[in-house]
Amino acid sequence: MKQIAVMKVPERVVIPVTEPLVAIGDTVNVGQKIGESEHSSVSGEVVEISKLSNKNVLSLVIKTSEDLSIEFQPKENPSPEGIKQILKLAGIPIELTPSEIVILNGTDEKPYVTANHALMLEYLDEILGGLKILMKATGASRGVIVICDSDSDVMGVMKADAKENEIEIIPSKTTYVQCTEDLMKNAIAKGSKAMVSNIGIAKAVYDAVFLGKPLIEAVVTVTGAKESQNVLARIGAPLRSLIETCGGYEGEPEKIIVNGPMTGTAQYTDEVPVTKGTYGVLVQYDGTTGEIRPCIDCARCVDVCPKDLLPNVLAISADHARFDVCVTYRLKDCIECGSCAYVCPSKIPIVQLIKYAKAELEKKE
Amino acid sequence: MKLIISAPPHIKEDVSIEKIMWSMVIALLPVTLMAVYVFGLSALYIVLVSVLTAVLTEAILQKMSDKRITIQDGNAVLIGLLLALLFPPNIPLWIPIVGVMIAMVFAKHAFGGLGHTIFNPPLVGVAFLMISWPSLMTFASAPRFGASLPYILEYGATRLADVSPLAMIGALYLLYKRYIDWRIPLSFIVIVALSALLLRIDLSSIFTGVLILGIFFLATDHSTTPVTKIGRFIFGAGCGILIIIYGQFGTYFEGICYSILLMNCFTALIDKYTAPNPSRRYVSWLKKS
């Protein structure tokens, strides 16, 4: 079975660019450099350069015509320095730090996101190759891929190949906060220097080094459309076109969320483009979350907090503007994973209150 | 297309105050039915009067203070039912009315209602009645016909909850759904059992229905117990120790009532001194993975 559906080329794409290298009216091709670290994901004509949704960043609007691609030129056997250069040119958002272990995060926010799972089934060799390159560039001696223990199919496929390439596979419990970077670092590296990256990046690294292809596509899990599936999306394509690829809406949508239901952002329109960091789109048809009741100190939030905080104290102190209490109870350690607000029987927006307290404290500094 | 913008998380667990409270009420229904079976209609009247008084008191108080009426969340019903189960079966019916009103007015709403209580409302009601009319609150066991089945059907019971400790098995479901906390009952039971073994007390005289009710439904009341993980162990252990002390010098029923109330006094203090320590913030999580 094919894991990843390829979307048809959207009519127009919107790509945020820091410093545009092209002007209105120019024709661009697939993979052409259009900004500092941005590349066109389609071929067509630049019709607009303006500040669209985000007030600080310029966006390029490209109207697509036929799908023409520039010729990708890979470099032969690059040095670690060379790799860094290539990755920078390909616009891959990754920071290479010298480390002993490179960890690839293959866990997903199940069941809403399965992009990593699909990538590992579809592009196994590329991912292992990408990890090898990252290890070479950072001088790491260990390569680790963390996989949810429920993904036994991936584990089966990967085991032989990983052994051949001397890459470790570490199964992790299929829970939600597992995916957090520093928890993973602490659990696996145990003090030695480590770099955490994800499966999508590893594939992009492989493409950049062996094919010379810049980062112009992302695998996105679309959930809540008629056919929920993983889609290989062009960067800059509007969410609407992704949802159309999956058969369209099932009814009148009330919420569209980018990047997982726990930490994702609710969007105000479905014209928002796919960016390099997009991995999930969730459509909800019932956006209500229930009435907010007083906190009854049931301590369910305390039991789930991965950072061993007291979310009930933080939320109430933030609500009462007692930010000094928030600091005493280690507000800054909160990773905003959302577990506390998820289990809250009183439906208190704990994460929102914590974010508010953080913002207020920042203002004071 | 109109889309809703809101802060994450965008999914919530299917749990609410209503669900927790009504589940606790349902978990108490078997023992209530057993009490009615053993004691007859007088038990039924006590339960009905207690629950009705609790609901009416809450509604009237909230109407008077111009607040939203929240009798549908089940907390008032639960308080009424818990109080009823602590009564002997032969009391005059004005006793539950007074007790429930004391619990609702002075223990729950005077402190700010649901979530703000400091002392366990049903126990405040019982404590008030025991001090005011001690003779009415005790019940000499009447000889009854029929063989008792220990822990399942006790004809010698002196209080509604005593008729069948095993009928409160629903507490296990509450534990499984995490509607009540497991740490308080665990340390509570361990301490009581250990002390009973050390002091050579007959276990069957301690593990009565009222104690089971105390452990799983009264000591686990959310607002009046600590929130930290260690704090909850300490709370349960404290209750256990106090019960044994009370039992040695008084009655176990008083022990259940006053030990939980006394530990409620320490809740804020326990929370303050057991707040999670930054130096071991990762430890508990990493051990699991």
Side-chain angles (χ1 to χ4, degrees):
Chain A
M1 198 188 91
K2 199 116 176 92
Q3 292 290 328
I4 299 169
V6 180
M7 76 181 289
K8 60 177 196 298
V9 183
E11 279 165 33
R12 44 178 245 160
V13 295
V14 179
I15 301 173
V17 175
T18 35
E19 272 175 59
L21 298 177
V22 287
I24 294 177
D26 284 2
T27 12
V28 291
N29 288 332
V30 176
Q32 189 179 332
K33 210 169 171 193
I34 52 172
E36 186 71 21
S37 58
E38 290 84 9
H39 303 79
S40 175
S41 57
V42 292
S43 61
E45 192 191 334
V46 180
V47 289
E48 200 183 335
I49 303 178
S50 62
K51 289 173 180 174
L52 288 171
S53 55
N54 194 327
K55 288 190 179 82
N56 305 316
V57 183
L58 278 177
S59 285
L60 266 178
V61 181
I62 302 167
K63 199 163 177 261
T64 54
S65 48
E66 38 183 341
D67 220 14
L68 288 176
S69 176
I70 62 161
E71 211 173 295
F72 300 130
Q73 283 166 334
K75 281 208 179 84
E76 291 290 316
N77 204 11
S79 62
E81 250 338 284
I83 294 174
K84 269 182 202 171
Q85 204 58 36
I86 292 171
L87 297 189
K88 207 178 159 207
L89 282 175
I92 296 171
I94 184 172
E95 215 167 292
L96 293 172
T97 49
S99 45
E100 289 158 42
I101 308 174
V102 176
I103 303 168
L104 283 192
N105 182 357
T107 59
D108 283 312
E109 261 179 66
K110 284 181 187 356
Y112 295 93
V113 180
T114 53
N116 282 337
H117 175 241
L119 270 165
M120 283 188 285
L121 283 182
E122 197 90 336
Y123 301 106
L124 181 60
D125 294 334
E126 283 89 337
I127 289 159
L128 292 176
L131 178 55
K132 282 266 169 203
I133 297 164
L134 285 178
M135 283 163 66
K136 188 175 168 191
T138 55
S141 54
R142 262 177 86 189
V144 174
I145 300 179
V146 181
I147 303 176
C148 285
D149 55 7
S150 60
D151 290 343
S152 49
D153 46 349
V154 179
M155 215 95 77
V157 177
M158 204 173 244
K159 220 157 220 168
D161 284 355
K163 206 167 190 184
E164 211 170 280
N165 286 299
E166 287 167 354
I167 283 166
E168 290 169 59
I169 295 175
I170 297 184
S172 84
K173 222 165 71 183
T174 312
T175 61
Y176 159 58
V177 196
Q178 207 86 21
C179 322
T180 320
E181 210 167 276
D182 59 335
L183 288 178
M184 207 168 265
K185 246 185 213 173
N186 272 287
I188 295 168
K190 296 196 179 78
S192 51
K193 273 186 187 167
M195 198 190 87
V196 179
S197 188
N198 65 45
I199 298 292
I201 295 282
K203 198 222 161 216
V205 166
Y206 177 90
D207 286 348
V209 174
F210 287 103
L211 308 174
K213 189 176 159 192
L215 180 55
I216 53 166
E217 287 165 331
V219 172
V220 180
T221 310
V222 182
T223 324
K226 269 193 184 127
E227 290 167 58
S228 292
Q229 58 183 342
N230 287 291
V231 178
L232 185 65
R234 308 272 180 125
I235 305 283
L239 299 182
R240 181 173 44 81
S241 65
L242 267 177
I243 291 158
E244 274 162 18
T245 310
C246 297
Y249 294 111
E250 262 181 342
E252 185 67 21
E254 279 200 353
K255 250 179 167 181
I256 296 177
I257 298 138
V258 163
N259 283 2
M262 292 299 279
T263 54
T265 331
Q267 305 295 333
Y268 61 91
T269 161
D270 57 1
E271 294 293 330
V272 172
V274 173
T275 62
K276 284 174 185 173
T278 307
Y279 57 80
V281 175
L282 171 64
V283 184
Q284 282 183 340
Y285 300 95
D286 179 17
T288 51
T289 44
E291 182 202 7
I292 296 173
R293 300 291 313 272
C295 172
I296 56 167
D297 278 344
C298 65
R300 289 165 74 93
C301 52
V302 180
D303 290 343
V304 295
C305 182
K307 287 290 209 175
D308 221 353
L309 298 168
L310 297 178
N312 59 330
V313 178
L314 292 177
I316 284 180
S317 310
D319 202 17
H320 295 178
R322 283 295 304 271
F323 305 119
D324 53 324
V325 180
C326 291
V327 174
T328 329
Y329 282 90
R330 305 183 355 254
L331 176 79
K332 282 194 178 138
D333 285 0
C334 175
I335 52 171
E336 295 169 20
C337 65
S339 303
C340 46
Y342 174 77
V343 298
C344 183
S346 294
K347 313 289 175 205
I348 297 169
I350 303 174
V351 182
Q352 205 174 356
L353 286 166
I354 286 175
K355 279 183 177 168
Y356 159 69
K358 278 183 179 169
E360 287 294 313
L361 280 169
E362 220 160 77
K363 250 189 243 168
K364 274 184 194 161
E365 271 165 17
Chain B
M1 188 188 329
K2 263 191 192 156
L3 294 177
I4 298 173
I5 308 280
S6 65
H10 303 284
I11 46 172
K12 303 251 179 179
E13 196 178 334
D14 185 21
V15 54
S16 60
I17 291 180
E18 280 83 2
K19 240 184 181 167
I20 295 177
M21 296 302 168
W22 285 116
S23 306
M24 287 175 86
V25 170
I26 290 168
L28 286 172
L29 280 184
V31 72
T32 313
L33 292 177
M34 293 287 268
V36 175
Y37 172 71
V38 171
F39 294 123
L41 281 180
S42 63
L44 184 68
Y45 292 144
I46 291 174
V47 170
L48 286 181
V49 166
S50 302
V51 171
L52 268 178
T53 315
V55 171
L56 278 178
T57 315
E58 175 147 307
I60 292 168
L61 277 176
Q62 284 174 332
K63 189 87 193 163
M64 273 165 58
S65 52
D66 257 353
K67 280 182 188 160
R68 217 174 54 103
I69 293 172
T70 57
I71 49 173
Q72 84 290 347
D73 69 12
N75 188 251
V77 176
L78 180 67
I79 291 175
L81 186 59
L82 282 170
L83 247 171
L85 290 173
L86 291 170
F87 287 129
N90 63 335
I91 44 164
L93 283 180
W94 59 268
I95 283 272
I97 296 180
V98 173
V100 169
M101 278 171 77
I102 293 287
M104 294 305 285
V105 177
F106 292 106
K108 188 180 171 191
H109 286 283
F111 283 99
L114 180 65
H116 303 286
T117 49
I118 294 174
F119 296 103
N120 197 318
L123 290 179
V124 170
V126 170
F128 178 85
L129 294 174
M130 282 204 302
I131 292 163
S132 310
W133 297 282
S135 55
L136 288 176
M137 287 297 285
T138 46
F139 175 60
S141 172
R144 278 167 189 281
F145 300 103
S148 289
L149 297 163
Y151 298 113
I152 298 170
L153 188 61
E154 309 224 5
Y155 282 108
T158 54
R159 284 169 205 282
L160 264 58
D162 277 340
V163 292
S164 174
L166 260 182
M168 278 176 270
I169 198 99
L172 291 182
Y173 175 76
L174 299 178
L175 285 172
Y176 164 73
K177 292 290 269 182
R178 294 187 295 127
Y179 289 169
I180 57 175
D181 180 61
W182 58 269
R183 292 176 180 84
I184 293 170
L186 181 73
S187 62
F188 202 147
I189 289 177
V190 166
I191 290 288
V192 169
L194 272 183
S195 334
L197 281 179
L198 280 176
L199 298 169
R200 295 169 197 280
I201 310 167
D202 184 16
L203 270 180
S204 62
S205 73
I206 302 181
F207 278 94
T208 55
V210 172
L211 182 76
I212 302 294
L213 188 79
I215 289 175
F216 289 102
F217 294 90
L218 295 169
T220 54
D221 177 54
H222 305 108
S223 320
T224 57
T225 53
V227 291
T228 60
K229 291 174 191 169
I230 308 165
R232 279 174 266 166
F233 280 121
I234 296 173
F235 183 91
C239 289
I241 293 168
L242 284 173
I243 278 193
I244 295 297
I245 295 174
Y246 265 102
Q248 290 296 298
F249 299 102
T251 64
Y252 283 106
F253 179 73
E254 280 176 333
I256 291 154
C257 185
Y258 294 131
S259 67
I260 296 173
L261 280 177
L262 273 173
M263 286 312 288
N264 285 163
C265 306
F266 290 103
T267 295
L269 198 70
I270 294 173
D271 266 344
K272 190 177 170 190
Y273 285 104
T274 55
N277 182 349
S279 61
R280 34 162 217 95
R281 70 184 92 161
Y282 295 115
V283 177
S284 65
W285 186 84
L286 282 176
K287 288 278 154 64
K288 271 185 264 166
S289 63

